[in-house]
Amino acid sequence: MTATLTLALSKGRILQQTLPLLHRAGILPAAKLTSGRKLVFETALPHLRLVVMRGADVPTYVRQGAADMGIVGKDMLLEQGSEGMYEPLDLGIARCRLMTAAPLGWQPDGRRIRVATKFPAVARRFFAERGIHADVIKLYGAMELAPLMQLADMILDIVDTGNTLRANGMQPVDLVAEVSSRLVVNRATMRSRHDVIQELVMALSKALCEA
Ligand code: ATP
Ligand code: PRP
């Protein structure tokens, strides 16, 4: 009997944009993915099941082989690293940017910069590469609040329309990375189940072209 492969999906924004892609690729879940408390879903394909989780957890499941494949934002991969995974496909969905941003009119004064972010590893790398001394403050949401409350001088966060920055008197400073969602595959699964993974990559690529 062929072992079932598991595809881990990031919930929220990414899931909303993944659904039409899965549909076009013929990956039809046995129940609605976005309602109820269910987390594991069989599909119309006999050897593929879907699991829904927080985007931040997808790399861990795939790296450890608890899920064979995943769909996750590049921001999460930059933060957590892609070790143990291949990244065969850019799905081009949930596009946004990782940027630094600061209050309008803010100027560095030569002292250490305090940077609030959900992405501490990305922030440390970004400032270190530029020889800038930065104290990175890890937060879990509403980054724009940190400069308003004098907790930080700058933020490093996701920017899409820029509305959140504008609404809080801030402006983007530097582009850190372009972000979109990626298909990731566990390295061992890629070797042991190459044919079936390749089939799935092809089906998703075709679905992207039809979008
Ligand atoms: P979680 O609930 O898993 O902690 P979250 O609530 O921030 O995270 P979402 O905002 O639904 O989850 O999705 C986050 C992912 O969607 C990001 O990792 C990023 O890849 C992508 N994304 C695209 N546009 C945006 C945006 N405007 N804001 C945040 N994330 C975005
Ligand atoms: C994200 C991000 C920004 C905002 C950017 O927050 O952290 O605050 O979206 O989008 P914009 O440029 O279109 O305004 P989200 O809505 O995910 O809430 P969060 O702060 O809880 O992460």
Side-chain angles (χ1 to χ4, degrees), residues 120-198:
V122 172
R124 284 197 191 94
R125 235 174 15 241
F126 180 80
F127 287 101
E129 279 167 3
R130 283 156 188 77
I132 298 169
H133 295 291
D135 290 324
V136 174
I137 302 165
K138 161 89 185 186
L139 292 178
Y140 294 86
M143 294 312 129
E144 296 77 9
L145 201 53
L148 288 174
M149 306 302 289
Q150 277 84 47
L151 176 69
D153 305 302
M154 299 184 85
I155 65 172
L156 187 156
D157 197 14
I158 280 170
V159 180
D160 180 13
T161 60
N163 288 340
T164 311
L165 289 181
R166 275 189 293 277
N168 292 287
M170 298 186 70
Q171 62 185 5
V173 177
D174 280 315
L175 174 67
V176 177
E178 297 282 352
V179 170
S180 56
S181 299
R182 310 299 163 100
L183 177 72
V184 287
V185 180
N186 172 272
R187 279 184 180 262
T189 309
M190 186 67 122
R191 282 192 295 273
S192 61
R193 308 289 305 277
H194 190 261
D195 289 358
V196 52
I197 297 282
Q198 215 40 47

Side-chain angles (χ1 to χ4, degrees), residues 20-40:
L21 256 185
L22 292 180
H23 194 264
R24 282 198 300 276
I27 302 169
L28 308 173
K32 202 162 186 271
L33 295 176
T34 48
S35 56
R37 305 292 298 166
K38 206 172 150 61
L39 300 170
V40 183

Side-chain angles (χ1 to χ4, degrees), residues 11-14 17 53-56 72-76 93-96 118-119 140 158-161 179-181:
K11 69 182 178 67
R13 282 188 177 84
I14 295 178
Q17 297 181 42
M53 61 184 69
R54 294 187 76 161
V72 64
K74 182 70 181 175
D75 49 332
M76 293 299 168
I93 56 171
R95 283 185 187 280
C96 53
K118 240 192 213 181
F119 304 94
Y140 294 86
I158 280 170
V159 180
D160 180 13
T161 60
V179 170
S180 56
S181 299

Side-chain angles (χ1 to χ4, degrees), residues 19-89:
L19 292 175
L21 256 185
L22 292 180
H23 194 264
R24 282 198 300 276
I27 302 169
L28 308 173
K32 202 162 186 271
L33 295 176
T34 48
S35 56
R37 305 292 298 166
K38 206 172 150 61
L39 300 170
V40 183
F41 300 85
E42 302 306 322
T43 71
L45 302 175
H47 304 306
L48 183 67
R49 66 176 180 171
L50 307 173
V51 289
V52 179
M53 61 184 69
R54 294 187 76 161
D57 291 333
V58 169
T60 307
Y61 273 80
V62 176
R63 183 178 298 117
Q64 303 287 340
D68 300 290
M69 300 160 288
I71 292 179
V72 64
K74 182 70 181 175
D75 49 332
M76 293 299 168
L77 297 172
L78 290 170
E79 178 62 21
Q80 300 186 23
S82 299
E83 196 190 314
M85 291 178 270
Y86 290 108
E87 198 187 300
L89 203 54

Side-chain angles (χ1 to χ4, degrees), residues 99-110:
M99 301 200 74
T100 59
L104 289 168
W106 177 81
Q107 293 285 345
D109 59 8

